[in-house]
Amino acid sequence: MRVIGLIVVWAFTLFNLLVLYWLITAAFKTPLEIFREPLSLPSTLFERGTPFRNFIYAWDTAEFGTAFLNTVLLVAICSVVIVLISAPAAYALSRLGVRGSGPLTGFIAIGMGVPFQTVVIPAFIAMSKVHLTNNLFGLALLYVALSLPFTVFLLTGFFRSLPDELEEAASIDGASATRTFWSIMLPLARGGLITALILNAIGLWNETLLAIVFLQENANFTLARALFTFYNAASYQSEYGGLLAGVAIIVLPMLVMYILLARRIITGLTLGAGK
């Protein structure tokens, strides 16, 4: 069974590496090369002035400049706000002995299992009545609200893994629960906070459905929303190289970040689930 498991894991890994190789090489190819020679290196890669034609076309045509700035600001602000809200909530549920904390934690966990596709239409109707559609602030509120259940549940595991003696020592010294949280427990849970921050950033960076539904003006587009609009234009003009270059622009930043921080993410998730 172990051998079969290893074979499946390596086959899945190799398949994903092959897809990544195809995406990166296709982003530099002409449409004809993409279909005729899908796995070959692009012939324009070493030609002067032409290798990045597809990326320039995608960046200019899809207005990725504005969308990139919107996405970076939106993801950074929302990720920080999510962690700032979730950390005190997780600490209170896991360490303060709040009455009903067990059922409440379970209720929050149930929120993780609700497909957010089921709340898109009610949310759109409600937010349109208060004029929060077609702007980044309204989308940010949705991102924060829908990300809280997972983040609270994740951080609850981290706070539970911390030793009780630290809180007891702080209590003997006269520190309040708030002071203990900010000065002692929060720094010790730094690994969990960073893990939650990274996972939220990756998830929000790739979010597409809500951006499509709630954003209509180009000036407010995120990268995923801009790519969705760019898809129609690129397909109509058969600019498949430019379309794949646009996909690469969105995928590669998060891929690089995950590769650089993979060890921290895995360690954080293991620690949080271990106790």
Side-chain angles (χ1 to χ4, degrees):
M1 291 300 294
R2 185 166 180 260
V3 175
I4 295 175
L6 287 174
I7 293 174
V8 172
V9 170
W10 278 109
F12 181 74
T13 302
L14 291 174
F15 173 76
N16 281 277
L17 289 174
L18 180 63
V19 171
L20 179 62
Y21 166 80
W22 175 82
L23 172 64
I24 295 175
T25 55
F28 291 92
K29 292 180 179 180
T30 63
L32 194 60
E33 283 184 293
I34 293 174
F35 292 102
R36 284 190 174 180
E37 303 173 356
L39 297 180
S40 66
L41 291 174
S43 61
T44 60
L45 188 60
F46 303 104
E47 294 180 9
R48 193 171 187 179
T50 58
F52 297 99
R53 173 197 170 277
N54 290 334
F55 288 89
I56 295 172
Y57 173 81
W59 189 271
D60 293 339
T61 305
E63 299 183 13
F64 273 179
T66 302
F68 188 86
L69 180 61
N70 289 342
T71 304
V72 170
L73 292 175
L74 184 66
V75 170
I77 293 173
C78 288
S79 299
V80 172
V81 171
I82 291 167
V83 172
L84 286 177
I85 296 175
S86 300
Y91 177 73
L93 290 172
S94 60
R95 309 290 299 195
L96 297 184
V98 178
R99 180 177 298 178
S101 59
L104 185 57
T105 303
F107 180 75
I108 292 174
I110 292 174
M112 296 167 53
V114 178
F116 70 90
Q117 293 88 345
T118 60
V119 302
V120 169
I121 294 177
F124 183 85
I125 294 173
M127 295 183 70
S128 63
K129 293 181 179 180
V130 291
H131 308 290
L132 286 178
T133 57
N134 195 31
N135 67 75
L136 294 175
F137 177 72
L139 187 61
L141 291 179
L142 279 175
Y143 281 174
V144 171
L146 293 174
S147 301
L148 285 177
F150 165 75
T151 311
V152 171
F153 187 76
L154 176 67
L155 292 180
T156 299
F158 282 98
F159 284 113
R160 282 177 178 165
S161 68
L162 299 178
D164 298 333
E165 291 79 4
L166 296 173
E167 283 179 303
E168 294 172 358
S171 178
I172 293 173
D173 290 339
S176 64
T178 303
R179 177 67 182 276
T180 302
F181 168 70
W182 288 105
S183 300
I184 299 175
M185 308 305 286
L186 200 61
L188 291 175
R190 181 175 56 186
L193 299 178
I194 294 175
T195 299
L197 193 68
I198 296 171
L199 292 177
N200 277 297
I202 293 174
L204 295 180
W205 182 278
N206 297 318
E207 197 287 317
T208 304
L209 178 61
L210 294 177
I212 292 174
V213 173
F214 285 88
L215 301 177
Q216 288 84 42
E217 294 182 5
N218 291 356
N220 295 326
F221 279 0
T222 60
L223 278 173
R225 179 66 175 89
L227 179 66
F228 180 80
T229 302
F230 178 55
Y231 169 79
N232 295 324
S235 299
Y236 179 77
Q237 299 176 12
S238 298
E239 283 286 351
Y240 298 108
L243 179 60
L244 291 171
V247 175
I249 290 173
I250 297 177
V251 170
L252 292 180
M254 288 297 106
L255 178 63
V256 171
M257 186 179 78
Y258 184 83
I259 292 174
L260 294 176
L261 301 174
R263 184 179 297 275
R264 180 180 289 274
I265 295 174
I266 294 172
T267 301
L269 289 174
T270 304
L271 177 64
K275 297 189 178 182

